[in-house]
Amino acid sequence: MSGDGASEQARSRFQAELEFIQCLANPNYLNFLAQRGYLRERPFINYLKYLLYWKEPEYAKFLKYPHCLHMLELLQYEHFRKELVNAQCTKFIDEQQLLHWQHYSRKRTRLQQALAEQAPQQQPTQQHGNATAK
Amino acid sequence: SYDGGESTKERLVSVLDDLEVLSRELIEMLALSRTQKLPQPGEDVQILEVLVQRDREFQELMAVAQSQGKLHEEMQRLEKEVEKRDSDIQQLQKQLKEAEHILATAVYQAKEKLKSIDKARKGSVLSEELIKYAHRISASNAVCAPLNWVPGDPRRPYPTDLEMRSGMLGLMANLPSNGVNGHLPGDALAAGRLPGQNTHTHRCTLVGRLRGDAPSSSRVRSGFGASGTQQGERGGRGKHELNLIFILNCITGWTTRVTKPQLRSLYLRFCLKNVP
């Protein structure tokens, strides 16, 4: 019985930490945390350091939003944590994040355009490329 | 020079001097004997005898000198030979040193290579898993924007406020969420059409719950789509579905709150909605 309880606890802890770490990918949430002063507290900073275990492959494979890992790495630095209090800073981060997010799709459209400009014989290859590109 | 301290050269020179003196005396005596009688009758014979002896000595000494010369040549030849061998040994020494250096480098490089092989082996991931993961994060538009994305589209590369509130942590805080007129929030969320998804709200209490604090009061300020926003409790089923949709993408099949057939149908519905 106690074994079940422990595993249930472990599962919910896993879920909670998984959700929380992915929330760190949201710059607005980071701003919120900074303005509430959470990023200045020692226990919270230690918790961020503890969360670094999500970088290992056997845990990272559960992450849907990998941007959170980069944010977590940046959060280890005090300077970054201090800067997050500014709304301008997080707005900038948000913008850059979106631009980066769009970068791959732009690259893909450019690639598709390049393929489209080639000879029509490439047609079957192009369609095949579309299907497997993502 | 050896035995007696007189070198061959000195002896030769002294013998030659003797010969010179003797022959001069003889010649003088012969010249004198033309005009007057010899004071000592056997003297010229004596001188001749000594002369002959000296000549014999001279010949002997010459022979000795020759043999000495030969020995000297032999010595020089051997010295040359020794020099040659010495240079050979030095050459071999150099080559040996070079070879040792090259081998040491090779061994070091090989060790480094082995180290990197071990490291790579430790960090190896199944290619199939990589592909599965890549597919998962791409299909949900988490790392690459959808092709039809324009500014104003609520989809983001990070979990939006609504998703955060719908997760386990959000539910633990028991916060009222923004539903839309009785429609299943799950459908609208899946289609990316739910308004208020990107509200700049300062109400999130996920961390608060983690620390055991009481949930703070809410202050919702929606960025757009305020018309469709309604405050209200979600139904039990809606709660489950939203939760599921967030978690499904994280840990497939982890939840036990929904039965397997429900899970499958929801997953299918979600996938179909998200097909570009």
Side-chain angles (χ1 to χ4, degrees), chain B residues 213-237:
Chain B
D213 296 342
S216 56
S217 61
S218 60
R219 247 187 330 123
V220 182
R221 194 169 44 97
S222 73
F224 55 92
S227 53
T229 313
Q230 298 254 334
Q231 296 278 351
E233 297 281 300
R234 267 174 299 158
R237 190 155 165 259

Side-chain angles (χ1 to χ4, degrees), chain B residues 160-198:
Chain B
T160 53
D161 283 9
L162 191 74
E163 288 176 19
M164 280 159 69
R165 261 174 274 136
S166 332
M168 175 183 117
L169 296 172
L171 292 178
M172 271 160 58
N174 267 336
L175 306 163
S177 71
N178 303 331
V180 187
N181 288 333
H183 289 264
L184 276 179
D187 292 31
L189 175 65
R193 280 182 281 111
L194 193 65
Q197 264 186 351
N198 227 16

Side-chain angles (χ1 to χ4, degrees), chain A residues 52 55 67-77 80:
Chain A
L52 284 170
K55 280 169 74 171
H67 287 191
C68 65
L69 285 178
H70 183 66
M71 293 298 181
L72 182 66
E73 278 171 31
L74 287 177
L75 277 169
Q76 305 301 318
Y77 295 101
F80 182 70

Side-chain angles (χ1 to χ4, degrees), chain A residues 11-12 15-16 18-20 22-23 25-27 29 32 36 38 60-65 94 101-102 104-105, chain B residues 133 135-136 140-142 144-145 149 157-159 163-164 167-169 202 204 207 211 247 249-251 254:
Chain A
R11 272 204 294 194
S12 58
Q15 204 171 322
L18 179 61
E19 287 186 15
F20 180 68
Q22 293 188 100
C23 293
N26 188 337
Y29 182 57
F32 164 80
R36 289 288 179 290
Y38 290 113
K61 68 182 179 190
F62 294 114
L63 295 174
K64 181 184 165 198
Y65 299 104
D94 192 27
W101 187 51
Q102 292 165 11
Y104 292 112
S105 49
Chain B
Y133 185 65
H135 183 77
R136 199 189 305 158
S140 56
N141 291 320
C144 183
W149 198 87
Y158 43 75
E163 288 176 19
M164 280 159 69
M168 175 183 117
L169 296 172
H202 298 295
C204 226
V207 175
R211 287 168 50 207
I247 291 164
N249 293 314
C250 308
I251 10 177
W254 192 262

Side-chain angles (χ1 to χ4, degrees), chain B residues 44-207:
Chain B
D44 51 350
V45 175
Q46 251 183 344
I47 291 176
L48 259 175
E49 273 176 11
V50 173
L51 193 68
V52 167
Q53 192 193 3
R54 282 286 178 275
D55 185 61
R56 221 189 347 231
E57 267 180 39
F58 182 71
Q59 298 296 330
E60 276 171 18
L61 278 174
M62 281 302 289
V64 166
Q66 227 176 12
S67 72
Q68 277 181 346
K70 279 208 190 87
L71 281 175
H72 187 67
E73 264 179 37
E74 187 76 14
M75 265 168 53
Q76 276 187 337
R77 191 182 64 85
L78 285 173
E79 254 172 43
K80 270 207 202 93
E81 191 86 12
V82 163
E83 259 178 43
K84 185 168 167 302
R85 295 299 154 111
D86 269 344
S87 76
D88 279 350
I89 288 174
Q90 269 184 356
Q91 185 74 5
L92 283 173
Q93 211 177 358
K94 263 193 229 148
Q95 284 179 345
L96 187 66
K97 187 114 191 17
E98 238 183 83
E100 189 233 343
H101 179 74
I102 291 174
L103 280 174
T105 317
V107 163
Y108 173 73
Q109 299 281 3
K111 280 206 188 119
E112 292 291 307
K113 212 157 237 151
L114 280 174
K115 261 193 248 170
S116 72
I117 287 175
D118 269 340
K119 203 167 141 197
R121 200 171 285 155
K122 264 190 270 178
S124 66
V125 182
L126 278 172
S127 60
E128 198 177 304
E129 278 209 34
L130 271 178
I131 293 172
K132 266 197 257 174
Y133 185 65
H135 183 77
R136 199 189 305 158
I137 57 179
S138 316
S140 56
N141 291 320
V143 284
C144 183
L147 291 173
N148 52 1
W149 198 87
V150 284
D153 191 322
R155 290 175 287 185
R156 287 289 185 276
Y158 43 75
T160 53
D161 283 9
L162 191 74
E163 288 176 19
M164 280 159 69
R165 261 174 274 136
S166 332
M168 175 183 117
L169 296 172
L171 292 178
M172 271 160 58
N174 267 336
L175 306 163
S177 71
N178 303 331
V180 187
N181 288 333
H183 289 264
L184 276 179
D187 292 31
L189 175 65
R193 280 182 281 111
L194 193 65
Q197 264 186 351
N198 227 16
T199 58
H200 292 275
T201 173
H202 298 295
R203 201 185 56 149
C204 226
T205 63
L206 294 172
V207 175

Side-chain angles (χ1 to χ4, degrees), chain A residues 40-69:
Chain A
R40 282 196 297 270
E41 293 176 13
R42 190 36 49 184
F44 191 80
I45 297 169
N46 293 340
Y47 184 63
L48 288 175
K49 190 163 167 205
Y50 155 76
L51 282 179
L52 284 170
Y53 75 87
W54 283 97
K55 280 169 74 171
E56 279 156 51
E58 54 264 19
Y59 287 101
K61 68 182 179 190
F62 294 114
L63 295 174
K64 181 184 165 198
Y65 299 104
H67 287 191
C68 65
L69 285 178

